[in-house]
């Protein structure tokens, strides 16, 4: 396994990022609905994996820093695992905030720019636990956020309260588990421990002052090109998808429980004091599973319904000898992958990541949450 391949393998799914950030009392919403009257700056802080990384992994380690990544946007490789924009970009645009600065290049941007936007701590290939990539797991990503809060970073408490955290957990923990000593019998307990760790991470982000936290559910991993390739990209693996649904079920149960606790605490707080200013925090789940599957099955409505992918499971860029080789070349510089003519015609960009068009369409089912 070459390094790129190994890296990509772990790049899978876990995109834990949080859309943190809005005030409880409706200020954030009103500013969202009346952008021209915006009074408050909001920021986006992002945690997780390749579904939300916008350039943290620098050359030579990232395939996302190689052609043809980035051909649609920004026109050259930018460290995004797509032909163009990813979830973070659509979330930022929707919230009306500047795209958060990738943590790795924070020193290259001016302090002003840093003050205007949030920070993206997400690294492709990472999970809530350690994976095969020597990159910060989610705990460490949150450590970086915590250090920033304590440093003289120009980041006020108010900035943080009015921000959104986007947390992407897309599956790298599972690909690593399966690639190492993970047994089939051990998978369910492992799913439990992943979800428990996600909840620990979400609570920590909340304690650090972020009021609105948005976490991704797992997408239909059994439909990823890397798994459907043996069947000519024709059918999803239902066994894998049923494990995904178990993860999503546990996550929803845990998030519902936590939200209830938060509401009760706030309730007892406001009845024991005359202050009604305690702002509510809340955690939201992005239903990536349903968003992706409805596009794959061509059952979307509205704008999404108009666009039906002819071969929804077939990626635009796919390795010849290994599905993970999009972006790789051999010693002579020959491409080890095939590239489609029009990335807009594909839902999947490479073996595990959507195209910009794919993200754009999927995002339309998330707008009510963000
Ligand atoms: C995350 O990485 C740090 C630093 O390598 C390590 O100490 C910690 O145990 C890891 N946390 C988890 C939950 O795997
Ligand atoms: C593999 O097994 C070792 C020893 O039993 C354990 O410490 C480790 O966490 C396991 N790795 C995974 C990914 O489950
Ligand atoms: C689905 O995935 C499982 C787990 O990787 C594998 O054992 C099984 O053979 C796959 N089924 C099909 C039909 O590919």
């Amino acid at each position: 396994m070459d390094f790129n391949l190994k890296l990509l393998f772990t790049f899978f799914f876990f995109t834990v990022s949080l859309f943190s950030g809005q005030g409880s009392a409706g200020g954030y919403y009103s500013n969202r609905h009346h952008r021209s009257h915006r009074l408050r700056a909001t920021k986006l802080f992002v945690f997780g994996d390749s579904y939300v990384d916008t350039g943290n992994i620098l050359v030579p380690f990232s395939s996302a820093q190689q052609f043809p990544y980035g051909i649609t946007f920004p026109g050259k490789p930018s460290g995004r695992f797509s032909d163009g924009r990813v979830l973070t970009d659509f979330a930022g645009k929707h919230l009306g905030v500047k795209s958060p600065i990738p943590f790795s290049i924070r020193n290259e941007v001016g302090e002003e720019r840093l003050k205007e936007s949030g920070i993206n701590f997400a690294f492709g290939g990472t999970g809530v636990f350690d994976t095969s990539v020597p990159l910060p797991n989610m705990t460490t990503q949150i450590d970086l956020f915590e250090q920033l809060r304590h440093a003289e970073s120009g980041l006020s408490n108010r900035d943080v309260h009015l921000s959104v955290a986007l947390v992407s957990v897309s599956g790298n923990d599972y690909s690593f588990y399966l690639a190492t000593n993970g047994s089939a019998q051990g998978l369910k307990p492992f799913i439990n421990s992943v979800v428990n760790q996600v909840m620990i991470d979400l609570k920590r982000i909340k304690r650090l002052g972020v009021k609105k936290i948005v976490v991704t559910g797992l997408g239909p991993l059994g439909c990823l090109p890397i798994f459907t390739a043996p069947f000519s990209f024709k059918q999803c693996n239902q066994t894998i998808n049923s494990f995904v649904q178990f993860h999503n079920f546990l996550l929803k149960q845990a998030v519902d429980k936590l939200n209830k606790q938060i509401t009760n605490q706030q309730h007892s707080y406001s009845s024991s004091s005359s202050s009604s200013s305690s702002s509510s925090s809340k955690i939201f789940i992005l239903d990536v599973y349903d968003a992706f599957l409805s596009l794959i099955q061509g059952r979307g409505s509205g704008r999404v319904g108009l666009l039906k992918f002819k071969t929804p499971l077939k990626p635009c860029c796919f390795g010849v000898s290994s599905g993970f080789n999009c972006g790789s070349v051999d010693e002579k510089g020959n491409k080890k992958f095939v590239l489609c003519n029009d990335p807009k015609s594909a839902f999947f960009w490479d073996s595990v990541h959507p195209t910009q068009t794919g993200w754009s369409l999927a995002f339309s089912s998330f707008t009510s949450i963000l």
Side-chain angles (χ1 to χ4, degrees):
M1 221 190 228
D2 67 44
F3 192 49
N4 242 356
L5 189 162
K6 212 167 158 186
L7 207 65
L8 254 175
F9 189 65
T10 34
F11 275 144
F12 272 23
F13 332 116
F14 251 117
T15 312
V16 175
S17 56
L18 295 168
F19 282 103
S20 89
Q22 88 223 22
S24 55
Y28 176 77
Y29 280 117
S30 54
N31 120 23
R32 209 174 91 197
H33 291 246
H34 306 283
R35 280 191 189 162
S36 52
H37 304 295
R38 184 184 310 131
L39 300 169
R40 295 172 170 185
T42 60
K43 294 175 173 32
L44 184 56
F45 292 99
V46 182
F47 305 87
D49 51 31
S50 57
Y51 275 6
V52 289
D53 186 353
T54 50
N56 269 319
I57 311 176
L58 306 173
V59 274
F61 299 108
S62 177
S63 56
Q65 300 284 6
Q66 321 282 345
F67 173 85
Y69 285 82
I71 50 170
T72 303
F73 171 85
K76 58 177 191 205
S78 69
R80 288 173 174 81
F81 290 82
S82 180
D83 62 309
R85 294 171 179 87
V86 297
L87 180 55
T88 302
D89 301 294
F90 290 104
K93 180 160 183 253
H94 179 73
L95 294 170
V97 302
K98 286 213 166 134
S99 189
I101 308 281
F103 178 79
S104 303
I105 59 160
R106 69 197 179 287
N107 294 330
E108 292 164 33
V109 303
E111 205 164 283
E112 279 313 303
R113 175 75 173 84
L114 208 53
K115 273 185 201 162
E116 285 170 5
S117 62
I119 298 212
N120 188 344
F121 299 97
F123 285 80
T126 62
V128 291
F129 298 122
D130 289 336
T131 56
S132 64
V133 291
L135 293 169
N137 61 33
M138 188 159 300
T139 304
T140 307
Q141 293 176 22
I142 301 170
D143 290 343
L144 298 172
F145 178 52
E146 185 167 9
Q147 283 156 21
L148 193 84
R149 289 229 50 197
H150 294 150
E152 290 289 315
S153 58
L155 195 62
S156 68
N157 284 344
R158 188 168 175 276
D159 281 337
V160 174
H161 291 167
L162 292 174
S163 59
V164 174
L166 171 63
V167 179
S168 169
V169 180
S170 325
N172 288 319
D173 290 289
Y174 298 121
S175 53
F176 184 61
Y177 173 85
L178 295 170
T180 53
N181 51 358
S183 66
Q185 306 90 288
L187 189 52
K188 279 206 166 178
F190 184 67
I191 293 174
N192 260 298
S193 60
V194 168
V195 171
N196 286 341
Q197 185 61 42
V198 172
M199 298 313 294
I200 290 169
D201 294 339
L202 296 178
K203 286 178 200 165
R204 225 182 124 204
I205 293 166
K206 177 181 165 300
R207 274 200 309 274
L208 288 167
V210 178
K211 300 278 184 213
K212 181 173 186 176
I213 304 177
V214 181
V215 61
T216 60
L218 286 185
L221 303 183
C223 302
L224 294 180
I226 198 66
F227 297 120
T228 64
F231 303 97
S232 318
F233 308 113
K234 293 255 162 62
Q235 64 189 66
C236 302
N237 183 313
Q238 299 306 340
T239 311
I240 297 178
N241 281 352
S242 66
F243 281 109
V244 164
Q245 284 173 305
F246 182 59
H247 169 106
N248 287 344
F249 168 77
L250 292 182
L251 181 68
K252 179 162 188 324
Q253 224 178 24
V255 165
D256 285 349
K257 190 173 156 207
L258 180 60
N259 279 334
K260 226 173 249 157
Q261 282 167 1
I262 295 170
T263 310
N264 289 343
Q265 276 163 11
Q266 272 155 4
H267 190 256
S268 53
Y269 174 77
S270 48
S271 51
S272 65
S273 95
S274 55
S275 161
S276 60
S277 68
S278 90
S279 53
S280 58
S281 28
K282 199 162 178 197
I283 296 167
F284 300 84
I285 298 176
L286 294 187
D287 192 348
V288 177
Y289 190 89
D290 190 62
F292 283 17
L293 211 56
S294 39
L295 291 168
I296 289 167
Q297 296 173 344
R299 59 177 163 84
S301 57
R303 173 181 163 241
V304 173
L306 293 175
L307 206 157
K308 296 225 195 297
F309 296 102
K310 254 194 226 135
T311 49
L313 296 177
K314 194 173 176 201
C316 178
C317 183
F318 204 67
V320 178
S321 56
S322 152
F324 288 107
N325 275 347
C326 177
S328 299
V329 292
D330 64 19
E331 311 77 52
K332 292 184 185 140
N334 298 316
K335 293 190 200 95
K336 296 208 257 179
F337 56 91
V338 286
L339 185 62
C340 71
N341 289 329
D342 180 16
K344 282 190 207 67
S345 67
F347 175 71
F348 284 110
W349 165 245
D350 64 12
S351 54
V352 291
H353 304 104
T355 55
Q356 168 173 301
T357 300
W359 274 125
S360 161
L361 294 170
F363 192 79
S364 49
S365 18
F366 304 150
T367 53
S368 59
I369 287 176
L370 279 158

